[in-house]
Amino acid sequence: MEKKHAVKLFLQTFFGDAEDPRFNFIEQISRFETINKKQLLFSEGEQGSEFYFLASGKIKLFRSTSDGKEATIRFIASGEYFAEILLQLKGRYPVSSIAIEPSELLAIDAKKMLQHIEQNPDVAMHFIGALSQRIKYLLGMVEQLTLADIRQRFINYLLALRDKSPTNRIELPAPKGEIALLLGTTPETFSRLLKKLAAEGAIELKGRTIILCGDLSTPNK
C-alpha cells in the first residue's frame, strides 16, 4: 500500500470523505510505516509524539500488571486509529502496542493534529465523537469484567462483533488465547466454553471463524 492510499483511508474514517481537502495537511504531518508480526510499536510509559491509524493488519493494545502478567486492553482492526490519547496527555503512551499480524500504519504528529483541532471546531467535533465511542467501549469492558460471568462476557463480545458483520460468520480478531486474555479468563476456561457452546448448538467453530447458529442474547444455562 502507498502512503497516499493510507491517507485517504484515514480521511474516510475520521472525516467521512476520502477526498477531504485536508489531504495535503495529513500527508505532511504523517509518515507511513510497516511492521512485522510480533513487532512492538511502542511501550507503556514510553515518551511519544505520534498517534496511529491502522491501514491494514491487526494490533493489540495491552498493559502489564503489577505481578508481571499481561492484560489485553483492545484489538485494533484495519480502519481504526489508536493512541489518540496523546492529543491530551501530550507525552507518554498509557499502554503497549504490538502487531499480531504484518501491519501498515500512518504515524501522525499529535502536536500538529492537536493544533489543527483547536483551530477548527468541525474537526474538534469529530474528535469528541471518537473519544465518546472509545469511552463507551471501555466502560462496557469494565462492566463486563466486574458484573458478568465468562459465558456472558463472551456472548456480549460476539454480539458486538456481529454488529459489525453483515452475516453470522464472525472472524475472531486474534488467536483464541489472546481473546481469553481480553475477556479476563484463562485459555483453558475459554476453550471449555467454546466446546460447551458448540455442543449446545449455539455456535459452530471453524478455526478462528465462529458461525452463530442461535439467539445468543438468551443463552441456555
Side-chain angles (χ1 to χ4, degrees):
M1 180 185 298
E2 295 183 350
K3 180 181 179 181
K4 291 182 181 296
H5 182 52
V7 171
K8 287 190 174 185
L9 288 176
F10 172 78
L11 293 172
Q12 180 65 50
T13 299
F14 201 88
F15 300 109
D17 183 3
E19 303 302 324
D20 188 273
R22 296 176 181 87
F23 178 90
N24 289 336
F25 170 70
I26 297 299
E27 187 177 34
Q28 290 169 4
I29 68 169
S30 66
R31 60 185 178 83
F32 188 67
E33 182 177 0
T34 61
I35 57 176
N36 299 319
K37 182 178 180 180
K38 296 185 178 180
Q39 183 176 336
L40 196 67
L41 184 61
F42 54 77
S43 298
E44 179 182 346
E46 179 183 330
Q47 191 78 25
S49 60
E50 299 170 317
F51 73 103
Y52 295 87
F53 171 74
L54 184 59
S56 70
K58 286 189 174 67
I59 297 288
K60 179 178 72 172
L61 304 182
F62 66 95
R63 298 193 70 173
S64 298
T65 61
S66 57
D67 57 0
K69 295 181 180 179
E70 182 182 297
T72 299
I73 304 300
R74 186 167 176 250
F75 295 111
I76 307 297
S78 300
E80 294 185 300
Y81 48 91
F82 59 102
E84 73 279 5
I85 194 69
L86 278 191
L87 295 171
Q88 294 178 306
L89 294 182
K90 303 178 184 179
R92 300 184 183 278
Y93 294 108
V95 297
S96 297
S97 170
I98 191 171
I100 54 179
E101 61 182 50
S103 301
E104 298 174 307
L105 312 100
L106 275 182
I108 303 170
D109 188 304
K111 182 178 180 180
K112 292 179 180 178
M113 189 64 181
L114 179 60
Q115 291 173 345
H116 185 69
I117 289 172
E118 291 173 340
Q119 296 167 4
N120 295 271
D122 61 321
V123 183
M125 292 307 296
H126 282 288
F127 181 59
I128 291 171
L131 285 182
S132 297
Q133 290 299 314
R134 192 79 78 244
I135 291 171
K136 181 180 178 181
Y137 168 82
L138 292 174
L139 288 176
M141 289 300 297
V142 170
E143 182 179 11
Q144 285 198 54
L145 291 173
T146 55
L147 300 180
D149 60 21
I150 178 56
R151 177 179 180 128
Q152 193 59 51
R153 292 202 297 272
F154 180 54
I155 288 172
N156 291 344
Y157 182 66
L158 282 180
L159 293 175
L161 291 178
R162 187 182 65 180
D163 288 343
K164 301 177 182 180
S165 173
T167 72
N168 279 345
R169 295 177 66 91
I170 295 171
E171 183 75 19
L172 292 178
K176 295 183 180 71
E178 299 281 3
I179 300 297
L181 290 175
L182 177 67
L183 297 173
T185 190
T186 65
E188 295 78 13
T189 298
F190 185 57
S191 180
R192 288 195 294 270
L193 173 61
L194 288 175
K195 291 178 180 177
K196 181 176 176 60
L197 290 172
E200 293 174 358
I203 64 172
E204 182 180 341
L205 294 171
K206 292 185 177 181
R208 279 168 54 175
T209 300
I210 293 180
I211 301 172
L212 305 184
C213 304
D215 183 6
L216 289 177
S217 62
T218 54
N220 297 321
K221 295 293 184 179

